[in-house]
Amino acid sequence: MRVIFNEELKAVGDGLDQMAADVSQAVHGAGQALLNTDLDAAQAVIDGDQVIDDLEADLIDQCVRLLARQNPVATDLRVVVSSQRLAATFERMGDLSRHIAEAVRRSYPNSPLPPEAKDLFRQMQEFLDMTADRLVTMLADRDTKTAEQIIRDDSILDDLHHQTFALVLDDSWQGSKQELIDVVLLGRFMERMGDHAVSAARRVVYIVSGFDPSKEPDKAGEDNEG
Amino acid sequence: MRVIFNEELKAVGDGLDQMAADVSQAVHGAGQALLNTDLDAAQAVIDGDQVIDDLEADLIDQCVRLLARQNPVATDLRVVVSSQRLAATFERMGDLSRHIAEAVRRSYPNSPLPPEAKDLFRQMQEFLDMTADRLVTMLADRDTKTAEQIIRDDSILDDLHHQTFALVLDDSWQGSKQELIDVVLLGRFMERMGDHAVSAARRVVYIVSGFDPSKEPDKAGEDNEG
């Protein structure tokens, strides 16, 4: 019985690794689409989101079956319950990547971003690419050091996100109203991705250490951008 | 043993009812704050969000203890797993209400909305007030009829949300860039609240009927606004 349980837990872990890899690909692809007005990259992210949604549904089902049949307790229970939250977090990051890709497709062949916004969004994207890579490492190794880096560094993305408002409010802003809308919403989507990465990182700290992240401010549930 | 389990399940149900009531109050309060530039109402929503966060943490803990000690299966397991998702959904609706209240506080004594946006946001708020009331009823009675109304009517809110973009893009728009930002973000927050209500409604349909809502498009995970 115990062997089966460990096998099933391992399958859940493999599923999460797969989701993290797919989400990382979506994050990188959305950035490629946005910064290079790359329609093929955008379409790949949009199509790939259904795969991420299906992976989430499968993982949740696996976890429910595991809970029903094996009655895990202590650390194993913590892993199963946290895996459900992680799957939901990753699914949401896939959605946000898709939103960015859809904005690119809607504006094509133009970019949704005016030239003066490109540099700032490039910086945000570099941050998200790094964070997506860290998520994959963190999951594969259950690595709390990487988790702590993700949590600590999120304020960098928040600062960049604040600069999107300063950019459009400045008198030198030349963009159209549609471009202003896109800068505000795309900035919001990217900032939310950072929050979800923090939420995933806190969850991994919880799995490994047993420290309850719900007792700490949870960025995905506590973003402060109005 | 079975009696204890039912008592504990009832406590989870009571906790969800409490969360739904608090979230409903937050939704109504945020609308009062936004439409009447009511700083006291805004502050109450901001302060109340911590109570909702604490209720969520307690509910998740209760569910984990229940899973560990009672090994629920079939319908009972479905209720416990779904309760965790519902608690997370309600927590997020509390955050979105707080974001709206924070926008009101930041602009005070001015409204974040220019006069020409008031009527549209009043219509969105009336929809959300109705939806929040329906959530309370749905939870208290496990009422799938009300759940289905929530799911069906969400397109009304989506239509109103689209009108926020038409409003700011129209040549007759007189608002400042800051007001444009606020209309876009406040509209987004309100539309997301509708998505979360749909997600909660699908979850209740799942609890009552056993039909798996993850096999249907989930609005909270599939919003399409770019």
Side-chain angles (χ1 to χ4, degrees):
Chain A
M1 190 67 155
R2 185 70 197 174
V3 171
I4 293 171
F5 185 46
N6 284 340
E7 268 173 25
E8 290 188 9
L9 256 191
K10 189 176 173 307
V12 168
D14 290 345
L16 282 177
D17 284 346
Q18 184 62 52
M19 278 195 89
D22 283 13
V23 165
S24 178
Q25 196 180 337
V27 169
H28 284 272
Q32 163 67 18
L34 179 63
L35 296 171
N36 303 302
T37 321
D38 181 338
L39 189 60
D40 289 340
Q43 194 59 47
V45 171
I46 294 165
D47 295 341
D49 188 44
Q50 185 60 52
V51 178
I52 295 173
D53 290 353
D54 291 345
L55 279 173
E56 188 213 7
D58 286 349
L59 252 176
I60 302 278
D61 282 352
Q62 269 181 285
C63 289
V64 170
R65 280 200 305 273
L66 224 160
L67 289 169
R69 295 203 299 235
Q70 312 276 1
N71 192 25
V73 295
T75 304
D76 290 344
L77 176 58
R78 209 155 67 200
V79 169
V80 176
V81 169
S82 294
S83 295
Q84 294 180 307
R85 292 293 280 249
L86 281 167
T89 297
F90 289 149
E91 188 273 336
R92 192 70 201 130
M93 292 181 78
D95 287 344
L96 291 163
S97 300
R98 175 169 54 78
H99 291 348
I100 292 166
E102 285 168 343
V104 172
R105 188 172 65 177
R106 198 167 45 241
S107 305
Y108 193 82
N110 298 313
S111 169
L113 298 174
E116 66 248 56
K118 278 279 172 70
D119 182 56
L120 185 52
F121 277 81
R122 193 176 305 280
Q123 291 177 61
M124 293 176 79
Q125 185 60 41
E126 281 169 5
F127 180 90
L128 285 176
D129 285 345
M130 176 187 71
T131 302
D133 294 342
R134 282 176 169 176
L135 281 178
V136 174
T137 305
M138 174 183 81
L139 260 283
D141 305 341
R142 286 198 191 175
D143 174 4
T144 55
K145 278 242 165 16
T146 305
E148 280 154 17
Q149 286 175 326
I150 292 171
I151 295 165
R152 188 196 59 213
D153 286 349
D154 187 55
S155 62
I156 297 169
L157 183 61
D158 289 343
D159 289 343
L160 292 169
H161 178 229
H162 282 124
Q163 291 179 39
T164 62
F165 297 116
L167 177 79
V168 298
L169 289 171
D170 196 272
D171 288 341
S172 67
W173 167 260
Q174 303 272 328
S176 66
K177 287 191 288 188
Q178 182 62 57
E179 286 168 333
L180 198 161
I181 292 172
D182 283 329
V183 164
V184 168
L185 286 179
L186 291 167
R188 168 91 188 151
F189 297 152
M190 292 169 91
E191 182 254 349
R192 286 296 294 155
M193 279 210 261
D195 291 344
H196 284 294
V198 168
S199 174
R202 289 198 192 286
R203 193 58 51 179
V204 166
V205 172
Y206 171 63
I207 290 176
V208 175
S209 70
F211 171 76
D212 184 350
S214 74
K215 301 296 187 278
E216 284 274 291
D218 180 331
K219 288 288 298 191
E222 283 222 5
D223 64 301
N224 280 299
E225 306 316 318
Chain B
M1 191 67 153
R2 184 70 197 175
V3 172
I4 293 173
F5 185 46
N6 284 340
E7 267 173 24
E8 290 189 8
L9 255 192
K10 191 179 171 306
V12 168
D14 290 346
L16 281 178
D17 284 346
Q18 184 62 52
M19 279 196 88
D22 284 13
V23 166
S24 178
Q25 197 179 337
V27 169
H28 284 272
Q32 163 67 19
L34 180 62
L35 296 171
N36 303 301
T37 320
D38 181 337
L39 189 61
D40 290 340
Q43 194 60 49
V45 171
I46 294 165
D47 296 340
D49 188 44
Q50 185 60 52
V51 178
I52 295 173
D53 290 352
D54 292 344
L55 279 173
E56 189 213 6
D58 286 349
L59 252 174
I60 302 279
D61 282 351
Q62 269 181 284
C63 289
V64 170
R65 279 200 305 273
L66 223 160
L67 289 168
R69 293 203 301 235
Q70 312 276 1
N71 192 24
V73 294
T75 304
D76 290 343
L77 176 58
R78 208 155 68 201
V79 169
V80 176
V81 169
S82 294
S83 295
Q84 293 180 308
R85 293 293 279 249
L86 280 167
T89 298
F90 289 149
E91 189 272 336
R92 192 69 202 130
M93 292 182 79
D95 287 342
L96 290 164
S97 300
R98 175 169 55 78
H99 291 347
I100 293 167
E102 285 168 341
V104 172
R105 188 171 67 177
R106 198 168 45 240
S107 305
Y108 192 82
N110 298 314
S111 169
L113 298 175
E116 66 248 55
K118 278 280 172 70
D119 182 54
L120 185 53
F121 277 81
R122 191 176 308 279
Q123 290 177 61
M124 292 177 80
Q125 185 60 42
E126 281 169 4
F127 180 90
L128 286 176
D129 286 344
M130 176 186 71
T131 302
D133 295 342
R134 282 176 169 176
L135 281 177
V136 174
T137 305
M138 175 183 79
L139 260 284
D141 304 341
R142 287 201 191 172
D143 175 4
T144 55
K145 276 238 163 18
T146 305
E148 281 155 15
Q149 285 175 326
I150 291 171
I151 295 165
R152 187 194 60 215
D153 286 350
D154 187 54
S155 62
I156 297 169
L157 183 62
D158 288 343
D159 288 344
L160 292 169
H161 179 229
H162 281 125
Q163 290 179 41
T164 62
F165 296 116
L167 177 79
V168 299
L169 289 172
D170 196 90
D171 288 341
S172 67
W173 167 260
Q174 302 272 327
S176 66
K177 287 191 287 188
Q178 181 63 57
E179 286 168 332
L180 199 162
I181 293 171
D182 282 330
V183 164
V184 168
L185 286 179
L186 290 168
R188 168 93 187 150
F189 297 151
M190 292 168 90
E191 182 254 348
R192 287 296 293 156
M193 279 211 262
D195 290 344
H196 284 295
V198 167
S199 174
R202 289 197 192 284
R203 195 54 53 179
V204 166
V205 171
Y206 171 63
I207 291 176
V208 175
S209 69
F211 171 75
D212 184 349
S214 74
K215 303 294 185 279
E216 284 274 291
D218 180 329
K219 288 288 296 190
E222 284 224 2
D223 64 300
N224 280 300
E225 306 316 320

